[in-house]
Structures are given as C-alpha cells and as structure tokens.
C-alpha cells in the first residue's frame, strides 16, 4: 500500500477525505448508560477528532455540543446541567441541546446577541443503547442505521465499549481477519479441559483443526460479505460468513441459535478508537449467566477498570500476559479474546504503517475493505455522497456460522440464509 493511501485511510479529522466520508454516517458518540438520568452530569466526548460535550437535559433530550464555550472557551463539561440547558461554569452562559444560547447573564442583551452567541451542536438520536451523532452536511440522512440489535427489547441485548489505543482501521481489520482465530485465540488445553463457553465450541474446534481457511469476498450494497471456509468432517465445511458495513461496522458470524454479535470501531481521533461490542438475541432475553460473563471479563471480554471503559490489560503491563499459561493453556497467555485482539492490534503502532506489510491470500478481505473505503472517500471528494449512508434498512440482519455439505456452493448457502 502506498504511504499516502495509508494516511488517507487513517485520518478522520474534519476536512480529510476519510473524515468527510465518515461524517455522512450516523456514528456512535457514547453509550446511553453514560447519561443515566435527566440533568445528570455531562460527559466529555471525542469523536472523529472533535472535542465535544454530551448532556441529557431536563426533558431527557440529548445535546452534543462543542466542548468549549463560545465566550472564552472554558470547558462546558465543568458547567451546570439545569433547567433544560447546560450552563458554563465561568460566566454562566447557557445553551440548549440545539446549541441555542438561552441566557447570557453577564450582558444586558437582546435576542440578536444571544442568537449570535449560539454554539456548535450535532443532531443525536438514541438507538439500541447507543447515542448516535450526525456530524455531516446539513441535509441529514433519514435515520440511524437499522441494526437488528436496535430493534430488540433492551433485555435482549448487551452493549459495551472498550478503549483501544490505536487507529480505528487496524481494530476494524482485526474483526474481518478470519485467519487469526486459529492462532491468536487458540486454546491449548486438552480436549477434556476445554469448556464450551457461550456455544462457541464449533468455532474453537474447527478453527483449531483447520488453520488455513479459504476466503471468499464479495462486494455487496452495504460493503463486503466475507466468507471463511474451513474443513469440518470429511463431508462438510464449516463456514463463517461475516458482514462489513460501511464505514466501520462488522456483524460477526454466529451459529443460528446463538447470541448475535456486532463490533463498531469508532474513531476518537487518529490514534485512539472505541470498540463498541454488542450482543443480542433475536428471540429471547439474554440470560444472567451470559450478561455476567460479558460484564466480568469471562472468556472473550476484556476486564475493565471498574467505573471506566478502559481495559485493565495494557501495553504497560504486557496485557496481563502470563508466560506459564502461554506454554500450556493458551496461545498467547493473555486472558480473554478481546484483550488478545487489543494487544496485537495496539502492538501494530498507534497508526499502523501499511506501506511495510507483506500481505497474503487470507488478507484479501482487508485489501478489499481498504479499497472500498478509498474509493468511497474519493467519490465523496468529488461530490458524490455515499448512497449507503441514507439506507438504514441495509444495516439490518445478522451473520452466520454454519456447517454445510461440501458439495453445497457458497451461492446456494447465501440463498438459503437470505431466504
Ligand atoms: S467562558 Fe463560558 S461563559 Fe464565559
Ligand atoms: Fe480476534
């Protein structure tokens, strides 16, 4: 990859090609749970390199404003959230969720002056336990993406986030990299000592037995459909068919009866991103055991520092790697699949230099994803907004991990799954 293309792909500040492309999409700004009540304390938000402040007003509406007061740039985060607006702590100027100046107590002033003192505000909507923000051109798309997890009842889903100290793209690439599962997440324990946590037995078994998946990638309306085929028994294949949705969302394949999964990799700035992880079941509430496992860092969730969204494992403590465990129990000796992903992806550098890679056949999904993003950013530069951004409907659906007879072609499997 050319060095310049790597810059284009990884920079998302306003005015950069990728930054302008991303701003056509509704983006996760924070979790709903971060603003648990009306008039609760505001929250600092950084999204696509912009410093913002989020608050829930007296009526429950959510504002997402420029972090700094238009008067003399004090941080609105320090202010008072009261009476349907956020009041700056420095001189008491007050703003509503639309950024309109409601009060300017230091001045004797008319409507014209308060109007002039308005601040930047982005439209928000709450959807699936996430507060989404639209930071793009005025004519805003119809709706936030219609992910299936947004349509189920709150008890049927679990939404969380975790900080990654690296660029969004290497995090996203990890989620559509279907050969690493056989190594990075390998369990070295004896057959009898392995526990099938959360119905992932098939995934673990087949990815261990066949470390050379055959990968098929197709461009579809929402981005890419990525199929990884592994040998199951002599008559069948184990298929994992993932979906990457523009610009940074992935639906991870799961067995039809299992809890579904999605990953959203949201740029905070060029060197940090949030990994939003969603689990949902289309038909039933999640069990206490499932939720407990997600919350307490069991098996595939990284343990968080209590009261934060920061993982306990980090570069400073070698991601809690235990070299003894690495010898006999797990490929990495790092606890939880999420922390394993985080460790290798952060280890690529804050912004991974793609001009120094040596790619092979199993990296095709990553190559295709980069190509599509570059093409879309280029079109955006030339005035063609991404059509997909105003199609919330194509974000619905799930992704499957299934075993099928070897003679069954992928096209036929796709047909079966879509019908
Ligand atoms: S800096 Fe905010 S009111 Fe003066
Ligand atoms: Fe992984």
């Amino acid at each position: 990859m050319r060095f310049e293309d790597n810059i284009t792909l990884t920079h998302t500040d306003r005015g950069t090609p990728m930054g302008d492309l991303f701003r056509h999409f509704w983006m996760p700004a924070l979790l709903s749970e971060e603003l648990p009540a009306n008039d609760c304390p505001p929250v600092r938000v950084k999204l696509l390199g912009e410093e913002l402040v989020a608050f829930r007003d007296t009526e429950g509406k959510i504002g997402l404003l420029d972090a700094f007061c238009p008067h003399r740039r004090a941080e609105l985060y320090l202010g008072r959230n009261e009476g349907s607006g956020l009041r700056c702590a420095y001189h008491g100027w007050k703003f509503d969720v639309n950024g309109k100046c409601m009060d300017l107590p230091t001045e004797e002033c008319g409507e014209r002056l308060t109007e002039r003192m308005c601040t930047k505000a982005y439209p928000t909507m709450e959807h699936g336990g996430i507060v989404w923000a639209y930071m793009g051109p005025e004519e805003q798309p119809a709706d936030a993406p219609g992910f299936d997890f947004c349509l189920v009842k709150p008890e049927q889903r679990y939404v969380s986030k975790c900080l990654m100290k690296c660029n969004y793209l290497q995090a996203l690439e990890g989620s559509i990299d279907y050969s690493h599962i056989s190594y990075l997440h390998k369990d070295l324990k004896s057959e009898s000592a392995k526990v099938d946590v959360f119905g992932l037995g098939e995934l673990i078994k087949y990815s261990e037995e066949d470390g050379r998946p055959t990968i098929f990638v197709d461009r579809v309306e929402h981005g890419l459909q990525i199929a990884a085929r592994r040998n199951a028994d002599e008559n069948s294949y184990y298929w994992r068919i993932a979906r990457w949705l523009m610009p940074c969302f992935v639906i991870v394949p799961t067995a039809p009866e299992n809890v579904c999964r999605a990953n959203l990799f949201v740029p905070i700035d060029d060197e940090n991103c949030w990994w939003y992880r969603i689990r949902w079941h289309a038909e039933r509430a999640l069990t206490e055991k499932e939720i407990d496992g997600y919350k307490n860092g069991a098996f595939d969730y990284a343990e968080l520092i209590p009261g934060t969204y920061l993982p306990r494992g980090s570069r400073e403590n070698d991601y809690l790697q235990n070299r003894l465990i690495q010898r006999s129990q797990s490929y990495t000796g790092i606890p939880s699949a999420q922390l394993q992903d985080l460790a290798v992806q952060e280890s690529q550098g804050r912004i991974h230099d793609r001009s120094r890679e040596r790619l092979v056949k199993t990296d095709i999904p990553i190559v295709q994803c980069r190509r599509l993003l570059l093409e879309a950013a280029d079109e955006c530069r030339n005035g063609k907004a991404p059509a997909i951004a105003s199609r919330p409907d194509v974000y619905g659906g799930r992704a499957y991990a299934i075993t099928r007879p070897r003679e069954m072609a992928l096209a036929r499997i796709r047909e079966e799954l879509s019908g």
Side-chain angles (χ1 to χ4, degrees):
M1 152 152 299
R2 295 184 318 164
F3 187 74
E4 311 82 84
D5 286 341
N6 196 40
I7 305 260
T8 306
L9 278 167
T10 52
H11 290 223
T12 59
D13 279 357
R14 186 173 286 283
T16 62
M18 207 51 67
D20 290 348
L21 174 70
F22 270 61
R23 280 169 176 75
H24 280 86
F25 295 85
W26 284 92
M27 297 297 290
L30 70 166
L31 296 174
S32 291
E33 68 178 31
E34 294 180 73
L35 295 171
N38 299 356
D39 289 335
C40 66
V43 175
R44 289 188 178 106
V45 171
K46 196 171 184 193
L47 184 54
L48 303 176
E50 294 186 37
E51 293 194 72
L52 306 165
V53 62
F55 70 105
R56 195 187 286 277
D57 77 2
T58 313
E59 286 77 43
K61 296 196 294 286
I62 290 180
L64 188 64
L65 310 181
D66 182 351
F68 303 100
C69 176
H71 177 216
R72 283 182 41 222
R73 310 290 294 163
E75 219 190 343
L76 283 175
Y77 168 76
L78 299 170
R80 307 172 60 90
N81 184 13
E82 59 188 16
S84 307
L86 189 58
R87 196 183 276 286
C88 180
Y90 207 174
H91 313 93
W93 292 20
K94 182 176 173 183
F95 305 91
D96 72 6
V97 293
N98 301 311
K100 191 167 167 283
C101 184
M102 302 165 78
D103 191 15
L104 213 153
T106 48
E107 299 290 306
E108 188 83 54
C109 59
E111 222 168 88
R112 286 255 318 270
L113 184 61
T114 35
E115 211 155 278
R116 272 209 297 129
M117 296 307 178
C118 291
T119 191
K120 179 172 72 185
Y122 291 122
T124 62
M125 68 165 78
E126 256 183 305
H127 205 40
I130 292 174
V131 178
W132 300 77
Y134 181 74
M135 300 165 73
E138 295 288 277
E139 62 299 347
Q140 89 185 48
D143 213 343
F147 286 111
D148 278 14
F149 69 81
C150 297
L151 308 175
V152 298
K153 295 197 199 110
E155 61 271 25
Q156 288 172 247
R157 71 170 165 255
Y158 179 77
V159 188
S160 66
K161 70 176 192 181
C162 173
L163 179 71
M164 292 185 76
K165 292 183 181 170
C166 66
N167 184 260
Y168 82 95
L169 188 58
Q170 63 218 56
L172 167 64
E173 288 173 351
S175 200
I176 54 169
D177 173 329
Y178 279 88
S179 60
H180 84 274
I181 305 166
S182 299
Y183 307 94
L184 182 70
H185 304 312
K186 199 186 188 95
D187 187 343
L188 303 179
K189 293 195 282 298
S190 68
E191 255 346 281
S192 58
K194 283 181 188 164
V195 220
D196 181 4
V197 210
F198 305 132
L200 298 178
E202 275 196 335
L203 161 64
I204 294 166
K205 178 171 155 47
Y206 298 137
S207 57
E208 272 176 21
E209 286 171 2
D210 184 356
R212 272 189 210 149
T214 310
I215 311 275
F216 305 82
V217 188
D218 281 283
R219 280 192 180 207
V220 287
E221 206 176 9
H222 58 66
L224 295 175
Q225 193 178 62
I226 302 151
R229 190 188 74 191
R230 286 182 162 86
N231 297 323
D233 57 38
E234 74 242 27
N235 299 318
S236 55
Y237 288 129
Y238 174 61
W239 291 91
R240 295 179 61 72
I241 309 176
R243 301 164 63 209
W244 166 61
L245 301 114
M246 289 274 276
C248 53
F249 312 132
V250 180
I251 313 276
V252 180
T254 45
E257 67 285 358
N258 263 13
V259 173
C260 306
R261 301 165 156 226
N263 292 326
L264 321 177
F265 299 98
V266 180
I268 296 172
D269 52 30
D270 297 342
E271 298 195 345
N272 298 279
C273 67
W274 287 118
W275 178 355
Y276 286 79
R277 276 185 121 191
I278 297 113
R279 298 282 189 271
W280 80 97
H281 201 289
E283 270 129 42
R284 62 162 174 86
L286 298 177
T287 64
E288 243 173 69
K289 188 173 162 221
E290 283 162 347
I291 292 182
D292 197 53
Y294 305 153
K295 276 195 179 147
N296 297 312
F299 181 64
D300 73 344
Y301 268 78
E303 193 188 328
L304 301 179
I305 297 170
T308 75
Y309 298 101
L310 313 176
R312 206 162 72 74
S314 63
R315 186 175 160 80
E316 292 68 36
N317 58 21
D318 284 340
Y319 302 93
L320 311 173
Q321 187 174 41
N322 180 323
R323 296 288 185 181
L324 273 176
I325 289 180
Q326 188 177 30
R327 281 190 187 196
S328 56
Q329 295 187 38
S330 91
Y331 200 74
T332 56
I334 294 172
S336 88
Q338 184 172 29
L339 196 57
Q340 291 157 10
D341 283 325
L342 205 132
V344 292
Q345 287 154 25
E346 286 189 359
S347 79
Q348 293 173 298
R350 291 306 270 252
I351 303 179
H352 164 47
D353 180 358
R354 291 170 180 73
S355 68
R356 302 180 66 186
E357 289 174 327
R358 299 287 183 84
L359 299 180
V360 289
K361 263 203 293 202
T362 42
D363 298 315
I364 288 171
I366 289 163
V367 173
Q368 290 278 357
C369 168
R370 295 172 185 174
R371 202 170 286 161
L372 253 168
L373 279 172
L374 284 171
E375 279 175 22
D378 201 44
E379 285 178 6
C380 203
R381 270 265 125 134
N382 295 316
K384 192 171 162 232
I388 174 87
S390 45
R391 290 282 313 278
D393 53 302
V394 297
Y395 286 79
R398 54 169 301 173
Y400 290 94
I402 45 163
T403 306
R404 284 294 177 272
R406 291 201 175 195
E407 62 274 13
M408 197 164 172
L410 178 58
R412 199 45 206 87
I413 297 175
R414 279 210 198 97
E415 236 173 73
E416 178 199 317
L417 296 176
S418 62

